[in-house]
Amino acid sequence: MIVNSKCECGHNNPVGTILCEYCGKPLEKSVREKTSIEREMRYEGKARRSLRAPASPFDLVWNFFSSVKVAITLIVVTLVAAAIGTVLPQERFIPSADPVTYYAETYGFWGKLFYQLGLTDMYNSWWFFLLISSIGVSLVVCSLDRVIPLWKALSNQQVAKNPEFIRKQGISHEETLPREESIERMNRLAEALEGKHYRIRREEEALLAEKGRISRWGPYVNHVGLILFLFGVLLRYVPGWHLQETMWVREGQIAQIPETDLFVKNEKFTMETWDTGTSSEEKPAIPKKFQTDAVIFREDPKTGTLTEVHRQSILVNEPLKYGDLLLYQADYRMGVVSGLTLNVTEKTSGRQIGTFRVDLYDLKPDQVFRVGQLEIRPLEYYPDFALENGRPVTKSREPNRPAFIFEVREQGQKEGERSWVIAGQDLGELAKDNRYEIGLANLNLVNSSGLLVRVDKSLPIIFVGGFIFFIGLIMGFWWQHRRVWIRVTDGGLVVGAHTNKNWFSLRRELERVFADAGMTLPPASK
């Protein structure tokens, strides 16, 4: 059970209170023995929840997150983890759809370990999310644990403080004078303090002069800004709030934008180069401008039909904007192979029967090519052909080395012959008895645009958090909270002053105040 600590003035203080809430007298013996109570003035000696005896599991959790050491540890661990995540590229930046193989082959043992530890997609991992959340919780608890008692203390400041409280301030002065003269000097000091823009409060034979209280709220305004900033970062984990992906779209292609119901079509890609006055053989062309004429479509979820909703040209530093979606011109590829034109030849006579075109990005297994009296069906397709343990595989979905198994069937036949075509060449040795041979007639080339897809709905929240943090910095650094207590006692006049920073400036200001009042403030003792 929490028991109050009663001061000599009669006020009951909660357990954990260092200075009496009413008169300011030190309650603990160790504090009374100190020559200064400057450290105890940080929160006005008020009892913080974290300093009280824990009474429930909630209090234990509160005490843990209210610790500044815990907050600093969480920040350091997060920074170290973020630094480790930059040692090797994250999954989104690697040129492979198979991260397991890529990291092991490219970086060896350390790459494999990096992947197994979950560091390859660190910023989307649950544990990094937990670290960011813990920092946010720590900021909230630390702020509430301190700002609530501070607000209560500053809002209910008593003018007549205990003389012991005044004597133990960082700057103090005491004179033995008759009561009438002490009151007169207090009045002169009050007038001089008003001239320095202090707000004066008087109560019988006591005075409190104060200015710059706004400075005390600066750190907590900083905390509000940081909490908003972290909240904006955490919103990026919510589906639909943040997206940053790279996609390639060939001329004429309609591709779905990742994680959205939108599609983009690359109608045309244009590149202009600077005229260097030399031939392209002597000096490579320098790009002057590259532009993608894009169209945005929205898919009807019921019918699956696409409806045009936006049309815009995308240039470098001039992205396409549609709602929260931004499409940036990030890269380009000229002369990308999009298809192969293959010819069919009768092997015995050498007679060419005809040609057919294969789309390397849209080859359907049930597709039938008709060449003369022949029907050609693709049985298997390997965009990036390789052999592993004697079996054909594809290393990626990109058609870097396309390989096919075609069935060539004459009309009326139930089963035709099979032909292997790798990179446009018929491997006749695999089917020596075949009647027909398939070979490369032409490459179908198109230009391709590399687009950076970005959606960031949380960015305004992050900017607001940063702006509030900046305001908190101004509040904390520009102003100083300065207070002067003056009290007439039976023995004379007691003056004490406190500031949250810049004690040298406060002493110089008080020296001028004393001089204006016709008094002298002795130099600080060394």
Side-chain angles (χ1 to χ4, degrees):
M1 184 177 68
I2 297 177
V3 181
N4 289 346
S5 300
K6 191 171 183 178
C7 180
E8 293 177 0
C9 68
H11 181 73
N12 290 323
N13 298 280
V15 169
T17 305
I18 302 173
L19 306 176
C20 177
E21 295 176 327
Y22 186 80
C23 70
K25 184 176 180 178
L27 299 177
E28 297 180 6
K29 182 179 178 181
S30 59
V31 178
R32 287 198 298 269
E33 293 174 351
K34 293 180 180 179
T35 57
S36 173
I37 56 172
E38 179 183 336
R39 294 188 60 180
E40 285 71 26
M41 290 291 291
R42 187 171 186 182
Y43 305 109
E44 307 298 305
K46 289 282 287 185
R48 288 159 40 202
R49 181 181 184 124
S50 60
L51 298 180
R52 301 175 190 173
S56 67
F58 177 81
D59 290 323
L60 293 174
V61 176
W62 181 277
N63 294 349
F64 175 79
F65 281 107
S66 67
S67 170
V68 175
K69 292 181 180 179
V70 170
I72 293 175
T73 301
L74 288 171
I75 293 172
V76 170
V77 170
T78 304
L79 290 176
V80 171
I84 293 175
T86 63
V87 173
L88 297 181
Q90 295 287 292
E91 286 185 23
R92 68 172 64 180
F93 300 114
I94 63 173
S96 173
D98 184 11
V100 181
T101 305
Y102 176 83
Y103 284 102
E105 292 182 352
T106 307
Y107 303 105
F109 168 78
W110 294 109
K112 185 177 180 180
L113 180 63
F114 198 77
Y115 179 82
Q116 291 175 342
L117 292 176
L119 298 174
T120 57
D121 193 23
M122 183 184 67
Y123 302 107
N124 294 319
S125 62
W126 65 268
W127 56 268
F128 195 79
F129 172 84
L130 187 62
L131 281 174
I132 298 295
S133 303
S134 299
I135 294 174
V137 172
S138 180
L139 279 172
V140 171
V141 174
C142 280
S143 300
L144 292 177
D145 190 57
R146 291 159 174 80
V147 75
I148 292 177
L150 178 62
W151 178 79
K152 289 181 179 179
L154 294 180
S155 300
N156 300 288
Q157 291 186 94
Q158 300 299 317
V159 176
K161 288 291 189 180
N162 187 285
E164 186 178 354
F165 169 86
I166 300 175
R167 292 188 186 100
K168 290 183 178 293
Q169 292 302 321
I171 298 176
S172 62
H173 174 62
E174 186 172 5
E175 294 183 358
T176 303
L177 298 167
R179 178 176 294 274
E180 292 75 12
E181 187 174 351
S182 296
I183 294 175
E184 181 187 354
R185 291 198 175 193
M186 182 179 71
N187 293 334
R188 294 205 306 266
L189 287 172
E191 185 178 349
L193 287 167
E194 281 184 322
K196 298 296 182 182
H197 308 292
Y198 280 83
R199 186 169 64 92
I200 306 298
R201 291 172 58 197
R202 304 185 68 150
E203 185 178 297
E204 296 178 355
E205 297 178 349
L207 178 147
L208 168 61
E210 180 181 20
K211 71 174 180 180
R213 186 189 293 188
I214 190 175
S215 175
R216 299 295 290 275
W217 310 121
Y220 305 105
V221 173
N222 287 344
H223 287 187
V224 172
L226 286 174
I227 291 167
L228 276 177
F229 183 89
L230 290 175
F231 179 68
V233 172
L234 292 177
L235 282 177
R236 295 185 169 195
Y237 289 87
V238 179
W241 276 79
H242 178 73
L243 173 65
Q244 183 164 321
E245 298 285 347
T246 301
M247 62 182 301
W248 287 92
V249 188
R250 304 181 309 279
E251 284 182 328
Q253 180 190 7
I254 298 178
Q256 184 172 11
I257 299 175
E259 300 183 28
T260 69
D261 61 348
L262 300 175
F263 290 74
V264 60
K265 179 181 180 181
N266 180 356
E267 288 200 326
K268 184 181 180 182
F269 176 79
T270 306
M271 184 179 73
E272 298 179 5
T273 58
W274 293 98
D275 185 8
T276 60
T278 58
S279 65
S280 58
E281 295 180 357
E282 297 176 358
K283 191 174 183 179
I286 301 175
K288 176 182 179 182
K289 167 187 171 184
F290 37 97
Q291 168 183 317
T292 301
D293 298 329
V295 182
I296 301 295
F297 298 90
R298 186 180 295 277
E299 182 181 29
D300 189 321
K302 297 181 179 179
T303 63
T305 57
L306 300 180
T307 304
E308 181 180 332
V309 293
H310 187 69
R311 179 184 292 266
Q312 182 181 334
S313 295
I314 308 174
L315 294 93
V316 177
N317 298 326
E318 295 183 19
L320 178 148
K321 298 181 180 180
Y322 177 71
D324 297 314
L325 175 70
L326 293 173
L327 291 181
Y328 291 85
Q329 181 71 58
D331 203 351
Y332 65 91
R333 293 173 182 168
M334 305 295 290
V336 176
V337 179
S338 65
L340 301 177
T341 300
L342 302 174
N343 56 30
V344 182
T345 306
E346 188 176 21
K347 294 172 67 175
T348 55
S349 64
R351 180 173 63 89
Q352 182 172 329
I353 298 176
T355 62
F356 65 97
R357 183 181 181 280
V358 178
D359 190 332
L360 298 179
Y361 292 91
D362 189 24
L363 182 60
K364 301 178 178 60
D366 58 348
Q367 196 168 356
V368 177
F369 302 100
R370 300 187 182 278
V371 182
Q373 300 298 316
L374 301 177
E375 293 181 352
I376 302 176
R377 290 181 174 85
L379 301 179
E380 295 183 34
Y381 172 43
Y382 305 93
D384 197 358
F385 176 77
L387 287 175
E388 290 185 2
N389 300 323
R391 297 181 61 85
V393 296
T394 182
K395 295 189 293 184
S396 68
R397 295 183 179 181
E398 292 296 317
N400 299 321
R401 193 185 182 211
F404 311 88
I405 299 179
F406 290 111
E407 181 189 41
V408 183
R409 183 190 304 177
E410 296 179 359
Q411 288 186 356
Q413 282 185 326
K414 293 183 178 180
E415 186 177 352
E417 60 185 31
R418 298 190 176 189
S419 295
W420 267 94
V421 179
I422 300 178
Q425 295 184 353
D426 189 303
L427 298 185
E429 62 271 15
L430 296 179
K432 296 180 180 179
D433 298 332
N434 281 1
R435 180 180 176 183
Y436 300 99
E437 183 179 56
I438 300 177
L440 178 65
N442 193 17
L443 297 175
N444 306 122
L445 305 178
V446 295
N447 298 326
S448 183
S449 295
L451 302 179
L452 175 63
V453 183
R454 180 172 293 174
V455 175
D456 201 340
K457 298 179 182 179
S458 63
L459 205 56
I461 298 175
I462 293 175
F463 283 153
V464 170
F467 180 72
I468 292 176
F469 181 83
F470 180 71
I471 292 175
L473 288 178
I474 295 176
M475 292 170 59
F477 283 100
W478 186 261
W479 288 280
Q480 302 99 41
H481 184 209
R482 296 180 176 181
R483 283 173 292 175
V484 179
W485 292 273
I486 305 175
R487 183 163 183 177
V488 176
T489 64
D490 294 336
L493 185 70
V494 182
V495 181
H498 176 80
T499 182
N500 62 328
K501 58 181 175 290
N502 202 347
W503 286 89
F504 176 76
S505 176
L506 175 60
R507 172 167 282 276
R508 289 189 60 185
E509 185 177 62
L510 288 179
E511 288 174 353
R512 290 193 292 269
V513 167
F514 270 69
D516 293 342
M519 301 168 59
T520 302
L521 178 67
S525 58
K526 297 183 180 180

